[in-house]
Amino acid sequence: MFGQMQDVPLLMNRILDHAMINHGEREIVSRLVEGNIHRETYADAHLRARKLSQSLQGLGMGQGDVIATLAWNTHRHIEAWYGITGIGGVYHTLNPRLFPEQLVYIINHAEDKMIFTDLTFVPILEAIQDQLTHVKGIIIMTDAAHMPDTSLTHAYCYEDLIDGQNGDFNWVEVDERAPCGMCYTSGTTGNPKGVCYTHRSNVLHTLVGNSADVMGLKSTDSIMPVVPMFHANAWGLALSAPAAGSKIVNPGPNMDGESIYQLLTEEAVTFTAAVPTVWLMLLQHMEANDLKLPVLKDVTIGGSAVPRIMLEKFERDYEVSVKHAWGMTELSPLGTIASFKSGMEDMTFDEQMDIKVKQGRAPYGVEMKITDDDGNELPRDGVAFGHLMVRGPFIVGEYIKGDGGNILDENGFFDTGDVATIDPLGFMQITDRAKDVIKSGGEWISSIEIENVAVAHESVMEAAVIGLAHPKWDERPLLIIVKNEGADVSKEEILSFLEGKIAKWWMPDDVAFVDEIPHTATGKIQKLTLRSQFADYKLPTADSAAE
Ligand code: AMP
């Protein structure tokens, strides 16, 4: 027996319909690759997305076709997503920071039929076009005046495609479980794996993302998604902003401190989101120029652990509330967020920072547990750490084409590959990636926790900790540091700074200073590369232990 409520399918394009009808006047502002600032409204975006759907159909695209985007965050990228899903197609975000051979692999594996690209990335596609097996055409996201002289065969001009249509189009109705989006994980080992979102999972993720304890966008907000749409779907903001009716301010290709600051202030941004590296650049710019953030209220930070010092600066020096979030491509991507529970507003500043430095608690829609190597659930005591497992309606069930086989445990939980603690109030804290955790004398050392303490030192710009083979302890930590420009600091000074802030037996056996730490395409420290760079490195403790 079923209940008797309306069975309206959860389709992503209805979010844009809602924005057009109820917030049609609200702006989408974008800094474009061409250099100018572009303004349009949700009503404009809705019309242009419909015209794009018509064009895509005219180019022979239809339901189920996968159409990629290789683009910065702009109004055109948002229109492209809705234009693609409007014909029942599947948008597939490509990360331009990947190596060309990874892009070729991903494009062919996903069987992309067309690619939308920004001008910036035309040379990448020119170089690989001969290796693309399913691609029938490339849409260059610019107007006729800026169309490049290109060797791309079957290149189309985005604005010409739009100008050639009347917009008299109804979105194609598909099942809410139909595919609507794809994103591949950056894959530090082996080939990248693809995640395929459904309309339903995207809409549910939007509702959860917009709940008050998560990102809670409002129609009065002006939001800036600095996190790229090509990295974990810009944390869902291209859907949650129109659902709320918030103004969107797209930074386009310019993510340096000065450009971000300019848009934050000129467009009166109240909410923004990005990875810590972006905020590092912004904070440096503001400190160097003695600037303030009078309008900005909330910043969500995730993708990598937020250093405590960054949290404190935002909260104390700029009076901006930070929400630390954790997620991954496989989770659409929101997993947890560190928003306060009752009573925490009254805590001291330091106690509050102790909470905010954690990755946070699960909203409704994400179930979470930690387990040992045998799959036994570990206590939520904030001390035990184990494999972080998650379950929910916007969490991956299997990778595209079944890559990696069965990825769920017998209860349907997905192993995130992260290692974490969960405290009695439900706050999760990532201690490591499972493959980065340092195993010393049968116990685990959290590399992230040591890194977080090290970056609080005034001379340290970036820190990474890896485990090196050790004859007695199996593995011991090596702390690798990039100094701040002009800073002069010794190994001994760093080690004494760590003393008392981490467990004694976690103390790194050595400190190495480097000019640069390698990063993945999504801005995370590339520990695999670091481990191979330091494969022959000898810890000073190794000799004495071997004797
Ligand atoms: P991606 O799918 O590229 O977003 O990568 C997801 C991974 O990034 C997670 O599995 C974590 O290892 C890491 N990550 C994301 N957010 C955080 C965070 N707030 N703190 C620490 N690691 C994070």
Side-chain angles (χ1 to χ4, degrees):
M1 200 174 99
F2 293 109
Q4 292 167 312
M5 303 310 281
Q6 296 181 19
D7 198 10
V8 177
L10 303 177
L11 297 178
M12 166 174 155
N13 285 61
R14 300 212 174 157
I15 294 178
L16 195 60
D17 290 343
H18 165 82
M20 184 268 288
I21 295 165
N22 299 289
H23 304 282
E25 76 294 344
R26 203 71 170 127
E27 270 187 315
I28 303 176
V29 180
S30 311
R31 191 195 295 279
L32 298 187
V33 179
E34 294 91 332
N36 57 312
I37 300 277
H38 175 273
R39 291 175 186 278
E40 67 179 24
T41 63
Y42 277 122
D44 297 328
H46 191 266
L47 176 63
R48 284 163 56 84
R50 278 180 283 141
K51 290 183 174 187
L52 213 50
S53 290
Q54 289 177 306
S55 297
L56 288 171
Q57 284 188 338
L59 292 170
M61 296 295 109
Q63 202 167 324
D65 283 338
V66 184
I67 301 174
T69 58
L70 187 59
W72 302 111
N73 290 4
T74 67
H75 67 292
R76 291 190 182 118
H77 200 169
I78 295 173
E79 293 162 3
W81 274 20
Y82 287 97
I84 294 165
T85 52
I87 61 166
V90 184
Y91 66 83
H92 172 200
T93 49
L94 298 172
N95 185 339
R97 296 181 188 135
L98 291 173
F99 293 119
E101 55 273 21
Q102 285 176 311
L103 279 175
V104 171
Y105 173 84
I106 287 175
I107 294 168
N108 290 342
H109 189 267
E111 302 183 16
D112 295 343
K113 295 242 168 65
M114 296 210 94
I115 303 177
F116 283 87
T117 181
D118 265 328
L119 283 168
T120 326
F121 310 120
V122 167
I124 299 181
L125 291 175
E126 285 174 338
I128 62 173
Q129 66 172 334
D130 292 344
Q131 300 168 62
L132 307 181
T133 48
H134 294 76
V135 175
K136 296 188 168 65
I138 310 280
I139 299 171
I140 303 180
M141 300 162 96
T142 191
D143 54 21
H146 292 89
M147 271 300 272
D149 191 13
T150 174
S151 64
L152 286 173
T153 47
H154 307 294
Y156 304 93
C157 168
Y158 184 97
E159 293 298 335
D160 282 357
L161 288 182
I162 287 191
D163 288 346
Q165 304 294 337
N166 60 13
D168 185 10
F169 180 82
N170 293 320
W171 310 125
V172 172
E173 284 276 326
V174 292
D175 190 284
E176 65 176 24
R177 288 175 181 77
C180 80
M182 278 186 190
C183 185
Y184 279 64
T185 61
S186 45
T188 42
T189 48
N191 281 323
K193 295 192 203 63
V195 180
C196 183
Y197 311 103
T198 63
H199 282 267
R200 177 185 148 86
S201 69
N202 265 358
V203 171
L204 292 175
H205 181 264
T206 304
L207 297 177
V208 172
N210 264 350
S211 56
D213 268 355
V214 185
M215 296 200 288
L217 301 185
K218 299 183 293 299
S219 62
T220 46
D221 276 320
S222 166
I223 73 126
M224 179 154 75
V226 184
V227 53
M229 291 165 77
F230 60 71
H231 179 204
N233 311 307
W235 304 350
L237 291 167
L239 281 72
S240 49
S246 316
K247 169 179 168 181
I248 305 180
V249 181
N250 289 306
N254 299 20
M255 284 178 247
D256 59 285
E258 185 178 357
S259 307
I260 293 294
Y261 183 81
Q262 186 195 357
L263 279 185
L264 283 176
T265 44
E266 287 178 8
E267 299 301 330
V269 171
T270 53
F271 169 97
T272 179
V275 295
T277 340
V278 167
W279 302 128
L280 194 66
M281 292 191 289
L282 177 76
L283 290 171
Q284 280 170 349
H285 173 73
M286 292 194 299
E287 276 164 22
N289 297 285
D290 198 18
L291 302 169
K292 289 286 169 206
L293 287 167
V295 185
L296 188 66
K297 287 202 211 72
D298 293 293
V299 46
T300 298
I301 312 182
S304 313
V306 181
R308 189 182 180 106
I309 182 98
M310 177 175 286
L311 257 177
E312 292 179 349
K313 274 191 187 162
F314 266 119
E315 298 258 347
R316 192 167 34 209
D317 302 350
Y318 297 96
E319 292 174 20
V320 170
S321 168
V322 173
K323 276 188 188 164
H324 188 186
W326 164 85
M328 52 196 309
T329 307
E330 287 89 336
L331 275 77
S332 298
L334 296 173
T336 59
I337 192 147
S339 43
F340 284 158
K341 286 179 134 179
S342 175
M344 292 177 173
E345 297 288 356
D346 304 325
M347 288 177 165
T348 65
F349 183 77
D350 280 346
E351 286 168 339
Q352 290 185 338
M353 295 305 109
D354 289 344
I355 291 162
K356 291 198 172 204
V357 86
K358 297 189 176 192
Q359 277 72 9
R361 55 198 173 84
Y364 166 74
V366 178
E367 288 174 75
M368 196 165 69
K369 66 178 178 183
I370 47 171
T371 64
D372 65 16
D373 283 342
D374 300 322
N376 303 310
E377 190 163 351
L378 294 169
R380 293 175 163 239
D381 58 6
V383 179
F385 51 101
H387 303 282
L388 179 63
M389 314 283 293
V390 288
R391 182 169 72 176
F394 45 85
I395 293 171
V396 68
E398 66 177 313
Y399 288 112
I400 292 171
K401 297 188 174 165
D403 282 355
N406 176 26
I407 53 172
L408 307 182
D409 73 4
E410 72 264 24
N411 297 314
F413 279 77
F414 166 70
D415 185 348
T416 62
D418 285 322
V419 173
T421 58
I422 304 178
D423 71 19
L425 293 176
F427 284 77
M428 182 274 285
Q429 184 161 28
I430 301 273
T431 55
D432 245 314
R433 287 294 291 167
K435 55 186 187 312
D436 295 336
V437 85
I438 299 163
K439 299 189 175 93
S440 174
E443 300 286 342
W444 288 3
I445 296 178
S446 157
S447 60
I448 293 186
E449 231 168 280
I450 306 175
E451 288 159 10
N452 280 346
V453 176
V455 291
H457 189 285
E458 58 181 10
S459 300
V460 175
M461 187 160 92
E462 200 174 15
V465 174
I466 55 169
L468 290 187
H470 191 277
K472 181 168 177 193
W473 300 107
D474 195 14
E475 280 185 336
R476 289 296 301 159
L478 168 72
L479 171 59
I480 302 162
I481 279 178
V482 182
K483 291 185 215 169
N484 272 323
E485 223 173 279
D488 188 22
V489 65
S490 67
K491 162 184 162 178
E492 289 70 26
E493 285 172 85
I494 297 285
L495 290 178
S496 77
F497 180 76
L498 297 182
E499 250 165 56
K501 301 188 178 87
I502 54 171
K504 241 196 174 109
W505 63 278
W506 285 25
M507 217 33 143
D509 284 27
D510 204 2
V511 181
F513 294 97
V514 295
D515 291 336
E516 204 186 339
I517 286 176
H519 291 95
T520 66
T522 49
K524 298 184 212 314
I525 294 175
Q526 212 160 27
K527 298 233 168 140
L528 203 67
T529 313
L530 270 182
R531 276 195 287 269
S532 66
Q533 277 175 9
F534 283 87
D536 298 327
Y537 192 89
K538 206 146 182 223
L539 290 172
T541 50
D543 274 344
S544 51
E547 278 161 11

